[in-house]
Amino acid sequence: MSQLRTQLDALIAQTSLEVSDQQRSQLVGYVEMLDKWNKAYNLTSVRDPQEMLVKHIMDSIVVSTHLQGESFIDVGTGPGLPGIPLSIMNPDKQFVLLDSLGKRIRFIKQVLHELKIENVTPVQSRVEEYLPEDKFDAVLSRAFASMTDMVEWCHHLPKSNGGLFLALKGQLPQSEIEQLPEWCSVTDIKALTVPQLEGERHLVILSRKE
């Protein structure tokens, strides 16, 4: 068993997440690919694979239990975060991973192929130009602009009836919450615990006002 797998197992053991053997193998496989491609394509500023496990994998999968619905879009996904880890954790849900940079989408396509992930559709587009026929149960974003920008740029993506915005944030962004547009409100805030990660993490759940 690889050192990364041993470390991932130890991290997951500090949470209440249920992660199968296959899912653990896919998560480690994703980190190994990210590490390999990163050297040539500069996909993430995190260089150390062990650090990736904490800052990318654990930081993403702790959101897994808060996903309600069937269809999700990860906007500004970068190399597939949090979309790839969440798609591995939720094989029964559908994910669109959106990014405007071709090299990131090429990497994601290779990940899907090598790790046999079948519930992800990668899309290269700017978010405001992406106009899908079917809307989503939730729009996910991690390290993507401010929440105000997120809801303004992505307002056309969640279902009009009950669609949500899920923003992964560090410290609670009180000033961003105060600047939200009239039509949007915070429905819930979840404090997230990420093993071995310094600093706070929050999931801010937003929806349209009825």
Side-chain angles (χ1 to χ4, degrees), residues 36-144:
K36 189 170 88 177
W37 278 60
N38 206 31
K39 293 177 173 69
Y41 292 96
N42 203 18
L43 297 167
T44 166
S45 58
V46 181
R47 297 278 170 220
D48 176 12
Q50 295 194 333
E51 222 179 312
M52 287 178 190
L53 283 178
V54 174
K55 291 186 174 172
H56 289 338
I57 301 298
M58 297 308 297
D59 195 46
S60 296
I61 68 175
V62 290
V63 178
S64 189
T65 52
H66 302 296
L67 296 187
Q68 294 168 351
E70 301 302 317
S71 61
F72 299 86
I73 180 166
D74 176 12
V75 291
T77 186
L81 295 161
I84 294 281
L86 287 174
S87 71
I88 290 171
M89 292 290 290
N90 298 273
D92 55 333
K93 300 182 191 298
Q94 293 299 315
F95 294 82
V96 168
L97 271 53
L98 187 81
D99 202 276
S100 59
L101 269 189
K103 67 177 183 180
R104 294 172 180 162
I105 295 299
R106 282 195 297 278
F107 169 69
I108 289 167
K109 285 180 175 172
Q110 193 60 33
V111 167
L112 302 179
H113 174 69
E114 284 192 30
L115 300 181
K116 299 183 170 50
I117 297 171
E118 293 173 354
N119 57 331
V120 171
T121 307
V123 176
Q124 184 181 347
S125 171
R126 292 168 60 88
V127 65
E128 56 271 33
E129 290 162 8
Y130 178 62
L131 305 168
E133 279 182 36
D134 296 327
K135 307 295 186 186
F136 298 90
D137 289 318
V139 177
L140 285 157
S141 90
R142 174 183 185 267
F144 172 83

Side-chain angles (χ1 to χ4, degrees), residues 15-54:
T15 72
S16 56
L17 293 166
E18 291 182 21
V19 192
S20 72
D21 194 52
Q22 182 192 357
Q23 288 168 324
R24 291 168 193 243
S25 298
Q26 286 176 311
L27 290 167
V28 168
Y30 172 62
V31 168
E32 288 170 346
M33 289 184 71
L34 189 54
D35 179 43
K36 189 170 88 177
W37 278 60
N38 206 31
K39 293 177 173 69
Y41 292 96
N42 203 18
L43 297 167
T44 166
S45 58
V46 181
R47 297 278 170 220
D48 176 12
Q50 295 194 333
E51 222 179 312
M52 287 178 190
L53 283 178
V54 174

